[in-house]
């Protein structure tokens, strides 16, 4: 893992209780890798580490993720489950690490927030999640961030890209680093997939070119599209083809109207550029490589027709003809 200085205050310290903290970042920004590093550090320090993860298939099931700690009973209240978890964890020291907290049921978040609030010096809770406007998640975060601010993971700068390339045995020249940053926007998972895949396919000297989309990069993009949900996946080709947002519904056949929810899901997946309406170049390239030319042509024709019907000027319609 590339060093992330913002995580240093969360590491175990002699005489101090395990940390309480929240790590926030879009998909592919390194949340799970950060939790892995923290779990290893606390385990090495003799702290019992218990890991919990939200799962999309279980997000509507109260307490589902807590089965790693205690038996689940359907009629239990959050107070019952909180007491059971606290009893199971004991006098400590212990650390509960929660990944994908945005996929936890609100009852589960209430239990874990209560556990953290009552931990004292016995233990801590470190959670990671995507930016998600969910009231129960905000309340959970408030408990964990009483003593320190949220750790927001950022895109990699040039030195981090270069450091990752060195882990592959590649001392990348500055122009390659710049090309990788432009192509991936510094999203850690995209950088790793691009460089790792390029090393496997022996095209490291060409990374950053639009036609270099290693299988590992295409797989990484597809995984994030799958997680983003059906609506986001359905408009992915339109976003890759730079179809304007106001005609995406007509061009894709997805329910017409405001595409903001689907675009927000793509943004939280770490796939959108800074304009929050277009893909990072590496993502657009991966989506287009995976699409059939017939599908692309049909989409562009529908987009052109929708733009024409909406009264768009010819210069806006022309790129889709």
């Amino acid at each position: 893992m590339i060093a992330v200085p913002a995580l240093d205050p969360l590491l175990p310290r002699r005489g101090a209780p395990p940390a309480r903290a929240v790590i926030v970042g879009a998909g592919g920004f390194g949340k799970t890798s950060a939790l892995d590093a923290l779990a290893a550090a606390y385990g090495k320090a003799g702290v019992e580490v218990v890991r919990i993860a939200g799962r999309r298939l279980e997000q509507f099931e109260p307490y589902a993720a807590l089965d790693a700690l205690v038996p689940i009973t359907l009629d239990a209240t959050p107070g019952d489950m909180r007491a059971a978890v606290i009893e199971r964890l004991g006098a400590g020291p212990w650390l509960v690490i929660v990944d994908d907290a945005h996929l936890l049921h609100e009852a589960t978040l209430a239990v874990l927030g209560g556990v953290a609030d009552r931990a004292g010096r016995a233990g801590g809770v470190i959670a990671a999640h995507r930016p998600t406007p969910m009231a129960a998640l905000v309340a959970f975060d408030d408990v964990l961030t009483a003593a320190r601010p949220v750790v927001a993971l950022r895109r990699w700068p040039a030195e981090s890209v270069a450091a990752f390339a060195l882990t592959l045995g590649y001392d990348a020249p500055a122009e390659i680093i710049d090309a990788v940053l432009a192509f991936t926007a510094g999203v850690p998972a995209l950088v790793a997939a691009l460089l790792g895949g390029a090393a496997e396919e022996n095209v490291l000297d060409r990374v950053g070119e639009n036609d270099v989309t290693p299988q590992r990069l295409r797989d990484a993009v597809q995984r994030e599209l799958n997680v983003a949900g059906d609506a986001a996946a359905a408009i992915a080709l339109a976003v890759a083809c730079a179809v304007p947002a106001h005609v995406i519904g007509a061009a894709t056949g997805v329910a017409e109207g405001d595409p903001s929810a689907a675009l927000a899901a793509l943004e939280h997946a770490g796939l959108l550029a800074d304009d929050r309406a277009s893909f990072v170049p590496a993502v657009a390239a991966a989506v287009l490589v995976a699409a059939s030319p017939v599908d692309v042509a049909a989409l562009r024709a529908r987009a052109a027709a929708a733009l024409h019907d909406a009264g768009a000027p010819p210069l806006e319609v022309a790129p889709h003809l």
Side-chain angles (χ1 to χ4, degrees), residues 8-111:
D8 290 348
L10 310 187
L11 292 170
R13 300 184 186 281
R14 186 180 299 275
R20 288 193 293 179
V22 175
I23 300 169
V24 175
F29 273 49
K31 297 182 298 298
T32 300
S33 295
L35 294 179
D36 289 344
L38 291 168
Y42 275 95
K44 187 175 180 180
V47 175
E48 179 189 8
V49 176
V50 178
R51 301 199 66 161
I52 290 174
R55 296 178 177 85
R56 188 166 295 279
L57 290 175
E58 298 175 350
Q59 62 183 320
F60 302 113
E61 298 181 26
Y63 317 130
L66 298 176
D67 57 6
L69 278 166
V70 294
I72 306 300
T73 55
L74 296 180
D75 59 348
T77 67
D80 296 334
M81 295 301 297
R82 181 181 65 237
V85 171
I86 290 173
E87 181 179 0
R88 153 64 182 83
L89 291 170
W94 49 262
L95 176 68
V96 177
I97 287 184
V98 186
D99 202 357
D100 287 335
H102 59 287
L103 296 178
L104 292 176
H105 189 277
E106 59 183 18
T108 307
L109 291 170
V111 170

Side-chain angles (χ1 to χ4, degrees), residues 20 78-79 82-83 86 90 94 110-123 125 143:
R20 288 193 293 179
R82 181 181 65 237
I86 290 173
W94 49 262
V111 170
L112 292 172
V115 169
D117 197 38
R118 292 162 174 79
R121 296 185 61 82
V125 177
V143 173

Side-chain angles (χ1 to χ4, degrees), residues 37-308:
L38 291 168
Y42 275 95
K44 187 175 180 180
V47 175
E48 179 189 8
V49 176
V50 178
R51 301 199 66 161
I52 290 174
R55 296 178 177 85
R56 188 166 295 279
L57 290 175
E58 298 175 350
Q59 62 183 320
F60 302 113
E61 298 181 26
Y63 317 130
L66 298 176
D67 57 6
L69 278 166
V70 294
I72 306 300
T73 55
L74 296 180
D75 59 348
T77 67
D80 296 334
M81 295 301 297
R82 181 181 65 237
V85 171
I86 290 173
E87 181 179 0
R88 153 64 182 83
L89 291 170
W94 49 262
L95 176 68
V96 177
I97 287 184
V98 186
D99 202 357
D100 287 335
H102 59 287
L103 296 178
L104 292 176
H105 189 277
E106 59 183 18
T108 307
L109 291 170
V111 170
L112 292 172
V115 169
D117 197 38
R118 292 162 174 79
R121 296 185 61 82
V125 177
I126 298 177
H129 61 78
R130 296 185 178 190
T132 306
M134 175 180 167
L137 189 60
V138 172
F140 176 63
D141 286 357
D142 285 346
V143 173
L144 298 187
T145 56
R148 59 169 51 86
V150 169
V151 176
L153 297 181
R154 307 296 184 189
R155 294 175 178 178
W156 277 355
E159 54 266 29
S160 295
V161 175
F164 182 82
L166 283 174
T167 69
L168 301 173
Y170 180 43
D171 187 5
E175 59 268 23
I176 290 290
I177 298 300
D178 291 343
V180 170
L181 280 173
F183 195 50
T184 64
V187 176
L190 296 179
V191 173
L194 175 65
L195 287 174
E200 292 172 351
E201 298 176 21
N202 199 29
V203 289
L204 275 170
D205 59 334
R206 294 184 53 229
V207 291
E209 297 178 20
N210 209 50
D211 62 340
V212 178
T213 55
Q215 186 63 49
R216 188 185 290 193
L217 174 65
R218 299 197 295 273
D219 290 345
V221 169
Q222 188 58 55
R223 280 194 301 273
E224 290 299 338
L225 288 175
N226 292 343
V227 170
D230 293 341
I235 70 169
L237 184 57
V239 177
C241 291
V243 174
H246 67 283
V247 296
I248 280 180
T252 60
V254 176
E256 296 191 33
D258 185 3
S260 59
L263 287 169
L266 293 173
E267 180 184 9
H268 296 161
L271 302 178
L272 292 189
D274 288 339
D275 64 6
R276 305 174 72 180
S278 62
F279 278 140
V280 169
V283 176
V287 170
L288 289 172
V289 165
S292 77
V294 172
D295 288 343
V296 172
L299 172 72
R300 289 195 182 281
R302 292 194 298 271
L307 286 166
H308 179 269

